[in-house]
Amino acid sequence: MAGPSVTEPEPERADDAVISTRGLTKRYRGGQLAVDGLDLTVPAGSVFGFLGPNGSGKTTTIRMLMGLIGPTAGSARVLGRPMPHAARTVLPRVGALIEGPALYGFLSGRDNLLRYDEADPTADPRTRRERVAAALDRVGLAAAAGKKAKAYSLGMKQRLGLAAALLQPRRLLVLDEPTNGLDPQGMREIRTLVRELASDGTTVFLSSHLLDEIEQVCTHAAVMARGRLIIQGAVADLSAGARGRLVVTTPDAGEAARVLKEQGAGDVVIAEDRVTAEPPDRDPAEVNAALVAAGVRVRGFALERASLEDAFVALTGEGFDVAG
Ligand SMILES: Nc1ncnc2c1ncn2[C@@H]1O[C@H](COP(=O)(O)OP(=O)(O)OP(=O)(O)O)[C@@H](O)[C@H]1O
Ligand SMILES: [Mg+2]
């Protein structure tokens, strides 16, 4: 609990950073270095994707940001205030959904939310029922509101956790894998909801191990691998940093690969009738002409736009593990 009189020796960082960390590090008791020197900057108004394969340190980071566990080293600020020091002033303005929301199984979804709302000293009891009804509606749980939470599916529990985070208008929403357990339709609904919240001015920080999910909804992203930050920035810039791939479809894949190499293409990969490569530094029309001149029957010739996944692979030299 920090009073306003507490002096802060370090200079204020950019005002528009809703979350910023400096050298944030967590080593668990067993010796596991889960987060390693993280410098994260989340701009106000962004939908910020916190991306990384299973075990890369996303949940550990989020638990530190929310003051649930202390860092081993480094510092974190949320809404401009140091965490966990200022948790009492910061947390009421932050809605959070962290791995497996705590629910009372014997209570209905609605009664769970009524309990959450009661636990918030700033929540007006006279408008409680409306608030809860609106939150249930927002996450698509109105019809199942009377059902006991223990009878909810994983996706329904996830929605209920999200509803709890939405009971009050928030400056910041922190959602750890919000689409975990949801079917494709449910995932789309959550994406739509996230966009709506963002257009209302809420900054949304969400973790995911699904690259395409992040590309679809986020304005900014940070990529984690093995506890370290690989890159962060605007999503458009991140994928622009990686070059797209040249894709040639042909029954003469071997010959096409040879010509592409001759033309200066890098990382030539043959997969049946598809040959992909890093495009050489020359007019693609010339490359195509060279293929045709060598007798390659070109059935398709395209430059695929780089994705975040390409950026990830280019940066880490590893595939993005989606085994989880
Ligand atoms: N309480 C704990 N004690 C010891 N090690 C832990 C603990 N929690 C997590 N870890 C380890 O820290 C590392 C990071 O875990 P974390 O849960 O932060 O990853 P994550 O990115 O959230 O993964 P996922 O995508 O699977 O949710 C992993 O190696 C994990 O095994
Ligand atoms: Mg996690």
Side-chain angles (χ1 to χ4, degrees):
M1 190 173 36
S5 62
V6 171
T7 50
E8 287 158 351
E10 48 178 323
E12 276 294 324
R13 296 196 194 110
D15 286 334
D16 60 349
V18 163
I19 295 173
S20 65
T21 71
R22 203 47 74 82
L24 192 67
T25 300
K26 180 68 183 183
R27 188 183 286 281
Y28 283 110
R29 235 173 246 140
Q32 173 78 38
L33 187 58
V35 176
D36 185 5
L38 182 62
D39 294 329
L40 200 63
T41 306
V42 177
S46 60
V47 177
F48 196 100
F50 193 43
L51 191 59
N54 293 126
S56 55
K58 304 181 297 291
T59 298
T60 302
T61 301
I62 288 174
R63 292 173 70 209
M64 288 193 278
L65 292 174
M66 297 294 97
L68 297 171
I69 54 173
T72 311
S75 61
R77 288 177 165 268
V78 176
L79 302 179
R81 314 279 300 147
M83 291 297 281
H85 195 64
R88 284 208 206 170
T89 46
V90 169
L91 293 185
R93 290 184 287 156
V94 179
L97 171 68
I98 303 180
E99 266 182 12
L103 302 169
Y104 297 105
F106 59 92
L107 291 181
S108 69
R110 181 185 293 108
D111 287 343
N112 266 284
L113 290 188
L114 289 168
R115 283 239 174 158
Y116 271 102
D117 199 76
E118 266 168 39
D120 178 353
T122 67
D124 181 353
R126 289 167 301 181
T127 49
R128 182 157 292 147
R129 293 235 147 232
E130 292 101 274
R131 246 189 329 276
V132 166
L136 285 164
D137 197 43
R138 208 140 196 212
V139 299
L141 269 186
K147 202 166 167 173
K148 282 196 167 63
K150 68 180 171 203
Y152 276 9
S153 69
L154 178 59
M156 290 162 86
K157 285 181 182 147
Q158 198 74 349
R159 286 166 192 256
L160 190 57
L162 196 53
L166 296 176
L167 282 169
Q168 294 287 335
R170 313 282 190 183
R171 293 262 316 273
L172 170 65
L173 274 178
V174 175
L175 310 175
D176 192 11
E177 308 257 3
T179 59
N180 204 9
L182 297 179
D183 55 21
Q185 169 65 18
M187 289 170 120
R188 267 196 298 280
E189 286 169 19
I190 298 299
R191 283 199 292 272
T192 305
L193 179 61
V194 164
R195 287 193 195 100
E196 276 170 27
L197 291 162
S199 69
D200 294 347
T202 304
T203 304
V204 183
F205 181 84
L206 67 100
S207 80
S208 178
H209 60 273
L210 303 175
L211 279 157
D212 62 333
E213 175 168 279
I214 297 277
E215 282 198 292
Q216 285 183 55
V217 77
C218 295
T219 59
H220 293 70
V223 180
M224 296 284 285
R226 301 167 196 218
R228 311 192 80 158
L229 182 70
I230 302 294
I231 195 171
Q232 65 183 323
V235 167
D237 296 344
L238 295 182
S239 35
R243 299 179 64 196
R245 296 211 24 117
L246 182 61
V247 182
V248 178
T249 312
T250 172
D252 312 311
E255 180 63 3
R258 191 190 63 73
V259 175
L260 288 175
K261 280 181 200 153
E262 205 176 79
Q263 294 286 308
D267 187 28
V268 179
V269 177
I270 302 180
E272 292 172 16
D273 66 341
R274 263 167 67 95
V275 184
T276 66
E278 279 169 20
D281 258 339
R282 60 196 309 174
D283 186 350
E286 280 176 32
V287 178
N288 193 13
L291 287 165
V292 172
V296 173
R297 289 166 287 170
V298 177
R299 301 215 166 121
F301 185 93
L303 273 170
E304 286 190 347
R305 194 179 66 85
S307 66
L308 261 188
E309 178 155 16
D310 297 324
F312 183 87
V313 172
L315 285 162
T316 62
E318 297 172 23
F320 193 84
D321 165 37
V322 289

